[in-house]
Amino acid sequence: MKYVLVTGGVVSGLGKGVTASSIGVLLKACGLRVTSIKIDPYLNTDAGTMSPFEHGEVFVLDDGGEVDLDLGNYERFLDIKLTRDNNITTGKIYQHVIAKERKGDYLGKTVQVVPHITDAIQEWIERVAAIPVDGEDGPADVCVIELGGTIGDIESAPFIEALGQFSYRVGQGNFCLVHVSLVPVLNVVGEQKTKPTQHSVRGLRGLGLIPDILACRSTKALEENVKEKLAQFCHVPLENIFTLYDVPNIWHIPRLLKDQKAHLVISKVLNLASIVKEPSLEEWTSRAELCANLHVPVRIAVVGKYTSLSDAYLSVLKALLHAAVACRKKLVVDWVPACDLEKETEKENPNAYKAAWKLLKGVDGVLVPGGFGDRGVEGKILAAKYARESKIPFLGICLGMQVAVIEFARSVLCLHDANSTEFKPETKHPCIVFMPEGSRTHMGGTMRLGSRKSIFSVKDSKSAKLYGNKTFVDERHRHRYEVNPDMVERLEKAGLSFAAKDETGKRMEIVELPSHPFFIGAQFHPEYKSRPGKASPLFLGLIAASCGELDSVMNPSSAHQHLISNCPKNVFVNGNSKKASNGLADVRHNNGYCNGLYTR
């Protein structure tokens, strides 16, 4: 097994996750099998109980693991299925070691950070790296490890020590360290400054880790004299210094690395030069160029609780982008704070109220994503009502599906008190209820999580057609509340259709309004399985319906192959920084790289 460790210095948010994912893509294109591990030094056992404002979205895996959003990047870039153990946290390691101590596995020894914690980290890495994640038998050839945080952080110390030991444990030729650092440009002098990176590398070396490669983030390509200076003061060969400058969208990064021959350098460090082939990235390049040159906009309102931080809805954004590119449309996202749609805001902040409704009424489609807590729920219900009554394409995810059901019960069944017991436990008409197997005392890992089967009960439904007329689909879930089974019959008689249910037939998975051009809610999270080139069927349906092209994707073949068939072939990036020809907004979502989409 070969290991590539990606660390970061100077500041957080440089794009270590995108860099690690792109290195994985490059190595995979060389014919190698790749897996990934993310190390998060926080004490939480997993990301499940953290606010999106703290750490961005919680990404959910097939096995129900609630993990860091970077694992979503790995899955999307590499088209793999990771496990909860691919996300290592300080909490998991300490929990593991303490459990062993309680069992008496340490034979009465004094349990310490070194060697017990550091050994546990190394053993965890070796064990997880051997787990197949690409559907094939046997371990991968290369494991890409990302160390979260910034070099010098106190909480990273045990992992730094463990990884230093690990580099000697696996031996030279089996370990490659890529250090991602910042080379800022001061506006006053207009000069690329190397000192922050010099200090970062010095700190890294002082902790026992020696970088083989420097990946330098900057607004433009590094000048040759700057690279020479970095080589001299950081003791890294000139050919091992790469520049990761701002590009129209992150799909350009693998090609950017290839153009600088990163695959040759990494394969040389890992003694793989004799077996790797020239990487083929035509599909990635074509997709990146297609995305950068789309002109016809499709406007989607994302009505949510965390709209001030786009990373809170990162997978939703990616799924929208995948679908928009599949339909050859330029995605424009209008962020609508759900609270601003409510009547209380009209009294307290009329300008925000007017602005929110103006945005909502100017879009082609509406998406209400998942969430927790009662803040903004009434605004989401109003958004669902507007989309239903105005025949605007609507997609509700998890809580978004639940508010659509609540709105229908209030408006069509005239049950004005209809609500979820999550928000109003005393409601006389509970449309949404707590699942009996859930825990009311423990929050972490107690929801209905992971991949679950949804069986289509209405064969001619839009959702069934979008999924290629399959009997069932496996999608990932993350929820504590569900549609009240006792109200299903009454809702169906009023015109609502529950197109898919779980294996028991009692838990509602997909809801549709047949009389509407496109009004679908899903209890699961389809965004987690969306991939570049394999857009999620429900997101593809939303974008297509918003463009007036729904019929063209509602057949078994086009719902999954729409993107590849429309991609131009043999389009290459020349390795030079350039502005997208369609004037894409200079948005800096996702760790400093531009996503290639407009947001407001």
Side-chain angles (χ1 to χ4, degrees):
M1 175 68 72
K2 307 290 185 177
Y3 298 91
V4 177
L5 172 64
V6 179
T7 61
V10 184
V11 294
S12 61
L14 282 178
K16 294 190 302 297
V18 174
T19 303
S21 301
S22 299
I23 289 172
V25 168
L26 193 58
L27 295 176
K28 187 176 179 181
C30 289
L32 300 170
R33 293 174 61 199
V34 181
T35 185
S36 294
I37 293 174
K38 173 67 187 296
I39 297 174
D40 284 304
Y42 46 69
L43 277 169
N44 304 63
T45 302
D46 58 35
T49 57
M50 289 193 287
S51 165
F53 284 128
E54 283 278 322
H55 213 68
E57 76 167 3
V58 176
F59 191 80
V60 178
L61 303 172
D62 270 1
D63 66 0
E66 297 173 284
V67 296
D68 183 81
L69 58 81
D70 278 317
L71 275 80
N73 278 326
Y74 305 156
E75 285 205 343
R76 285 187 289 268
F77 270 64
L78 298 171
D79 196 17
I80 56 179
K81 291 183 179 180
L82 300 172
T83 71
R84 67 178 73 231
D85 285 348
N86 288 82
N87 192 191
I88 304 175
T89 70
T90 299
K92 283 182 181 178
I93 295 295
Y94 274 78
Q95 192 177 59
H96 172 72
V97 170
I98 291 171
K100 289 181 69 175
E101 186 274 330
R102 290 289 83 189
K103 286 172 61 180
D105 289 355
Y106 295 114
L107 303 176
K109 292 181 179 178
T110 302
V111 180
Q112 298 174 292
V113 173
V114 181
H116 301 100
I117 294 296
T118 52
D119 283 353
I121 293 168
Q122 294 174 70
E123 290 163 6
W124 193 299
I125 290 172
E126 285 190 317
R127 174 178 61 83
V128 174
I131 300 174
V133 295
D134 56 3
E136 298 183 26
D137 294 330
D141 301 308
V142 181
C143 177
V144 180
I145 306 167
E146 179 193 347
L147 176 62
T150 306
I151 293 301
D153 292 346
I154 293 174
E155 59 264 30
S156 300
F159 292 102
I160 294 288
E161 176 62 28
L163 290 165
Q165 294 178 17
F166 189 69
S167 66
Y168 288 101
R169 177 172 174 168
V170 300
Q172 191 174 7
N174 295 313
F175 190 88
C176 176
L177 200 166
V178 180
H179 187 58
V180 182
S181 188
L182 177 68
V183 178
V185 178
L186 299 183
N187 292 331
V188 178
V189 293
E191 179 186 1
Q192 292 178 330
K193 308 301 289 185
T194 64
K195 194 63 71 177
T197 296
Q198 291 180 44
H199 283 296
S200 181
V201 171
R202 184 181 302 163
L204 188 63
R205 286 176 169 273
L207 293 168
L209 288 173
I210 300 173
D212 299 293
I213 294 170
L214 290 183
C216 300
R217 288 285 291 114
S218 189
T219 54
K220 59 182 181 179
L222 292 186
E223 297 167 5
E224 198 62 28
N225 66 309
V226 172
K227 292 177 69 173
E228 291 172 357
K229 191 173 182 180
L230 285 170
Q232 179 180 3
F233 287 98
C234 297
H235 306 157
V236 175
L238 186 65
E239 62 271 17
N240 290 22
I241 299 175
F242 308 128
T243 174
L244 300 177
Y245 51 79
D246 294 347
V247 290
N249 62 70
I250 60 174
W251 294 342
H252 283 291
I253 304 301
R255 179 74 197 195
L256 193 60
L257 288 169
K258 181 193 174 184
D259 288 342
Q260 297 174 79
K261 304 190 184 305
H263 57 292
L264 297 179
V265 173
I266 295 172
S267 61
K268 182 179 177 181
V269 174
L270 295 177
N271 288 335
L272 292 171
S274 60
I275 65 170
V276 299
K277 64 181 183 180
E278 183 67 15
S280 174
L281 293 173
E282 283 84 359
E283 185 178 317
W284 274 89
T285 304
S286 298
R287 189 181 298 120
E289 285 296 303
L290 172 63
C291 178
N293 290 284
L294 295 173
H295 298 281
V296 181
V298 57
R299 205 170 207 95
I300 303 296
V302 176
V303 183
K305 179 179 179 181
Y306 313 108
T307 53
S308 61
L309 180 69
S310 63
D311 271 1
Y313 301 112
L314 185 59
S315 291
V316 168
L317 270 177
K318 296 300 183 185
L320 285 171
L321 181 61
H322 300 161
V325 173
C327 293
R328 299 177 69 86
K329 297 294 187 291
K330 180 171 64 178
L331 179 64
V332 181
V333 176
D334 284 337
W335 297 102
V336 181
C339 290
D340 289 353
L341 297 172
E342 297 173 0
K343 288 293 183 182
E344 286 185 12
T345 304
E346 184 179 19
K347 300 173 184 176
E348 297 171 1
N349 191 344
N351 290 335
Y353 178 82
K354 290 177 184 177
W357 276 103
K358 184 179 180 180
L359 277 178
L360 187 63
K361 291 181 178 180
V363 299
D364 303 307
V366 176
L367 188 148
V368 178
F372 298 91
D374 59 359
R375 183 169 66 85
V377 166
E378 291 301 321
K380 294 175 184 179
I381 292 172
L382 289 169
K385 179 181 177 69
Y386 168 75
R388 181 181 61 81
E389 293 180 343
S390 303
K391 304 293 184 182
I392 302 295
F394 173 88
L395 177 61
I397 298 172
C398 197
L399 178 59
M401 165 185 160
Q402 295 173 6
V403 299
V405 173
I406 293 170
E407 189 280 321
F408 187 86
R410 289 181 182 180
S411 300
V412 179
L413 294 179
C414 298
L415 304 176
H416 303 299
D417 182 52
N419 214 320
S420 167
T421 55
E422 179 181 5
F423 315 125
K424 191 176 181 181
E426 72 278 8
T427 178
K428 296 178 181 178
H429 300 102
C431 293
I432 310 298
V433 295
F434 191 81
M435 292 187 296
E437 68 268 35
S439 171
R440 293 185 182 274
T441 58
H442 289 72
M443 304 296 284
T446 58
M447 289 184 277
R448 184 170 179 249
L449 293 163
S451 185
R452 309 285 179 129
K453 188 174 291 186
S454 299
I455 301 171
F456 287 104
S457 53
V458 182
K459 305 302 181 183
D460 63 344
S461 62
K462 293 183 180 70
S463 54
K465 291 177 182 177
L466 286 168
Y467 275 103
N469 293 316
K470 293 180 179 179
T471 306
F472 67 90
V473 292
D474 286 299
E475 292 281 10
R476 298 176 183 178
H477 295 68
R478 186 176 185 246
H479 64 112
R480 283 192 179 87
Y481 292 80
E482 62 175 335
V483 175
N484 187 351
D486 296 336
M487 290 196 67
V488 168
E489 184 178 355
R490 191 173 178 184
L491 290 165
E492 286 182 324
K493 285 182 178 179
L496 209 57
S497 173
F498 292 97
K501 303 175 182 178
D502 76 340
E503 293 173 293
T504 68
K506 297 179 180 179
R507 184 160 283 156
M508 305 301 112
E509 294 283 1
I510 298 178
V511 62
E512 291 188 22
L513 194 57
S515 60
H516 193 284
F518 188 90
F519 193 94
I520 294 178
Q523 185 58 74
F524 50 80
H525 288 261
E527 69 270 24
Y528 291 141
K529 286 193 173 182
S530 185
R531 303 283 183 268
K534 298 178 185 175
S536 163
L538 294 186
F539 279 84
L540 187 61
L542 173 67
I543 295 294
S546 300
C547 302
E549 300 174 1
L550 183 59
D551 290 342
S552 69
V553 300
M554 279 208 306
N555 65 70
S557 59
S558 63
H560 296 283
Q561 301 298 326
H562 201 59
L563 172 62
I564 300 304
S565 63
N566 282 319
C567 272
K569 303 299 180 184
N570 301 319
V571 182
F572 296 96
V573 178
N574 60 16
N576 297 318
S577 179
K578 65 176 183 178
K579 188 175 179 64
S581 60
N582 63 344
L584 286 168
D586 189 24
V587 183
R588 289 293 180 267
H589 292 313
N590 196 18
N591 300 321
Y593 293 114
C594 184
N595 272 337
L597 53 87
Y598 280 116
T599 61
R600 287 192 174 191

